[in-house]
Amino acid sequence: DGGITQSPKYLFRKEGQNVTLSCEQNLNHDAMYWYRQDPGQGLRLIYYSQIVNDFQKGDIAEGYSVSREKKESFPLTVTSAQKNPTAFYLCASGLGVQETQYFGPGTRLLVL
Amino acid sequence: KQEVTQIPAALSVPEGENLVLNCSFTDSAIYNLQWFRQDPGKGLTSLLLIQSSQREQTSGRLNASLDKSSGRSTLYIAASQPGDSATYLCAVRPNSNYQLIWGAGTKLIIKP
């Protein structure tokens, strides 16, 4: 089955803790994205990557970090510097940055 | 700066009705526009993509139109069913960069 997987489905973060959200795709897509979704707002881009070993900041990159060491994987780390991390996080991928994006099922991050 | 607005934020209609969802954008210099569906707590599914040179796209009971000059797109759903209940989001890709600009969505409830 081809698709995008995100894990875990729910994640709890303690104060001062870094947590990492996983995103894997087997669609052979070059481009991958991380979005944050808050109630009543449109999706906001955190980071995106057009190709392996390259990534760019989106509109709200502060307090987040990413890596793109493999084509299939684009993990997102929510650092302790992100003071309001509670949100629904969506990963997406596409053949290129101007192509349709395909989304994973999302990870809901909650703060303890 | 491109802004995307979806009104109303929520809509409830009886089963069987035809309905129209609206999406407006402030800058007509767009590369394409997409409509997505999101079920509660899930990722997004792409429904229709309209290139800037196109006026409409159809898929089954769905028809999306684009009027760049007025900065509007509509998603028409024919013969609505309870399974159409979801949040519908539109996203615009500007000519000037690769980022999608998102509306906040319309939450649609189809009453049996």
Side-chain angles (χ1 to χ4, degrees), chain A residues 6-8 11 13 16-23 33-36 46-47 55 60-69 73-83 85 89 91 107 109:
Chain A
Q6 291 185 242
S7 62
L11 186 58
R13 193 191 91 163
Q17 185 181 39
N18 293 351
V19 292
T20 298
L21 287 62
S22 170
C23 177
Y33 310 82
W34 274 106
Y35 291 97
R36 171 178 172 143
I46 304 172
Y47 270 97
F55 50 83
I60 56 165
E62 186 175 350
Y64 301 96
S65 66
V66 294
S67 63
R68 186 82 188 277
E69 297 176 1
S73 180
F74 192 40
L76 174 73
T77 297
V78 183
T79 74
S80 58
Q82 173 51 244
K83 298 306 180 187
Y89 290 85
C91 178
T107 292
L109 177 60

Side-chain angles (χ1 to χ4, degrees), chain A residues 9 35 37 40-43 45 48 50 57-59 88 90 97-101 103-106 108, chain B residues 31-32 34 36 38 41-46 49 51 89 93 95 97-105:
Chain A
K9 185 173 182 179
Y35 291 97
Q37 186 177 34
Q41 297 187 37
L43 275 67
L45 183 66
Y48 68 100
Q50 298 183 54
K57 292 182 179 180
D59 296 324
F88 191 52
L90 288 159
V97 291
Q98 293 185 327
E99 305 297 327
T100 298
Q101 295 181 16
F103 283 79
R108 187 164 299 280
Chain B
Y31 185 78
N32 59 38
Q34 285 187 261
F36 291 85
Q38 184 177 29
K42 307 287 186 182
L44 280 65
T45 300
S46 179
L49 183 150
Q51 301 292 352
L89 299 101
R93 188 186 304 280
N95 282 335
N97 62 52
Y98 299 139
Q99 292 188 25
L100 289 175
I101 311 299
W102 294 82

Side-chain angles (χ1 to χ4, degrees), chain B residues 2-112:
Chain B
Q2 178 74 272
E3 293 182 359
V4 179
T5 304
Q6 292 184 251
I7 296 174
L11 181 64
S12 179
V13 301
E15 180 179 5
E17 282 198 6
N18 302 327
L19 60 97
V20 173
L21 305 180
N22 297 298
C23 173
S24 61
F25 47 95
T26 55
D27 187 342
S28 62
I30 66 170
Y31 185 78
N32 59 38
L33 182 146
Q34 285 187 261
W35 283 92
F36 291 85
R37 168 184 172 138
Q38 184 177 29
D39 292 292
K42 307 287 186 182
L44 280 65
T45 300
S46 179
L47 297 173
L48 290 163
L49 183 150
I50 309 177
Q51 301 292 352
S52 62
S53 58
Q54 297 175 320
R55 294 299 300 266
E56 65 179 305
Q57 282 285 338
T58 298
S59 176
R61 293 183 294 109
L62 306 179
N63 176 277
S65 69
L66 175 64
D67 183 344
K68 282 200 310 178
S69 61
S70 66
R72 294 188 64 184
S73 176
T74 61
L75 180 67
Y76 174 83
I77 303 177
S80 59
Q81 303 169 358
D84 294 329
S85 298
T87 296
Y88 291 81
L89 299 101
C90 72
V92 164
R93 188 186 304 280
N95 282 335
S96 57
N97 62 52
Y98 299 139
Q99 292 188 25
L100 289 175
I101 311 299
W102 294 82
T106 294
K107 183 176 182 179
L108 177 64
I109 298 174
I110 306 299
K111 297 175 289 186

